[in-house]
Every structure is written in C-alpha cells, then in structure tokens.
Amino acid sequence: MAKSRSHEGTGPSQRQLRVGELIRRRLSEVLSRGEVHDPELNALSITVGEVRTSPDLKTATAYVLPLGGEHRDEALAVLNRNRSEIRRSVTKGLALKYAPDIRFVLDETFDRMDETRRMLSQANVRRDLD
C-alpha cells in the first residue's frame, strides 16, 4: 500500500530541488562554454536563475534572462530554436533516468525586486514604515 503524504502540495520535494539545481548548473555550463552550435546563441550571455522540475522529473522549466535584460524575446526564441540540442548537451553530463524536456521562461525576479524597491522608496510608503 502506498504511503500517503500529508505535506503534498506544499512545494517541491528535495529530489526535485536537487535535480533542478543539477540541471541549472549544467545548463549554465553549456550556455557559457558555447557547447551548442549556433553562433547567435553563443553571442548571447544568458543567466539561468532557477530550474524547476515537475514531480516526475520529465519536464524542467528554466528561468533565464539575457545579460542586461535586453533582447529578451530574441534570446527566448534562440533558446527555443535550439531546445533539442541544449537538452542533449545538458543531460549528457547528468545521470538521470529520463532526459527532461526543457522549457525556457523569462526570469522576472529582478523586475519584481526593482518594482518593490521603487515602491518602498516612495515618500508615503516610507512615512508609513517609520
């Protein structure tokens, strides 16, 4: 009989977090070393902020951002165009049962941090905080 998990739905498991971090590191290496044979991709400097995996580890969502945050749509298009070669290069260096399908999403964490800083610097908010 299967064990019931009372903490289900509370977030990713330790295994998901561990595999996500392994994929993030390997993906960063692949992109920084120019292991994909696309001059347009190799000309970009892309930061991989986080990789989240599905519970079955068959899908990995990579949160990426080009250096300086410029040309986001173009960078995403280039990554998606080379998705299968990136997948092969990333999983070649990892001991996983399945090669996860990698999806690329723009990392908007920095935008949200900037917006939060802007809001906290407003005079009426600072007055309320004091």
Side-chain angles (χ1 to χ4, degrees):
M1 187 163 163
K3 294 181 183 179
S4 65
R5 294 164 87 179
S6 60
H7 64 282
E8 203 163 330
T10 59
S13 68
Q14 285 297 315
R15 185 170 181 225
Q16 284 175 272
L17 293 171
R18 191 171 53 249
V19 170
E21 181 60 19
L22 287 172
I23 293 171
R24 186 195 69 76
R25 286 182 188 167
R26 181 68 184 125
L27 178 58
S28 293
E29 287 175 10
V30 166
L31 294 174
S32 67
R33 291 181 182 169
E35 293 181 25
V36 178
H37 306 309
D38 184 338
E40 196 174 343
L41 178 60
N42 294 334
L44 296 172
S45 181
I46 297 175
T47 301
V48 183
E50 180 183 8
V51 174
R52 295 182 188 169
T53 60
S54 62
D56 63 2
L57 304 177
K58 291 185 179 180
T59 304
T61 304
Y63 293 86
V64 297
L65 189 66
L67 186 65
E70 297 176 3
H71 310 293
R72 295 172 181 209
D73 294 331
E74 294 86 351
L76 208 53
V78 171
L79 287 166
N80 283 317
R81 185 175 68 225
N82 292 288
R83 189 162 51 170
S84 61
E85 188 177 351
I86 292 170
R87 178 184 184 190
R88 273 190 303 277
S89 296
V90 167
T91 56
K92 184 174 28 175
L94 302 175
L96 297 175
K97 188 173 184 178
Y98 300 103
D101 180 36
I102 301 176
R103 299 178 181 164
F104 296 100
V105 177
L106 289 175
D107 189 351
E108 297 177 350
T109 305
F110 297 108
D111 293 339
R112 280 187 256 136
M113 286 183 352
D114 289 342
E115 179 62 20
T116 302
R117 280 192 201 107
R118 187 193 61 75
M119 287 173 43
L120 290 174
S121 68
Q122 293 176 353
N124 57 340
V125 173
R126 283 200 333 237
R127 182 187 68 237
D128 291 344
L129 291 174
D130 292 338

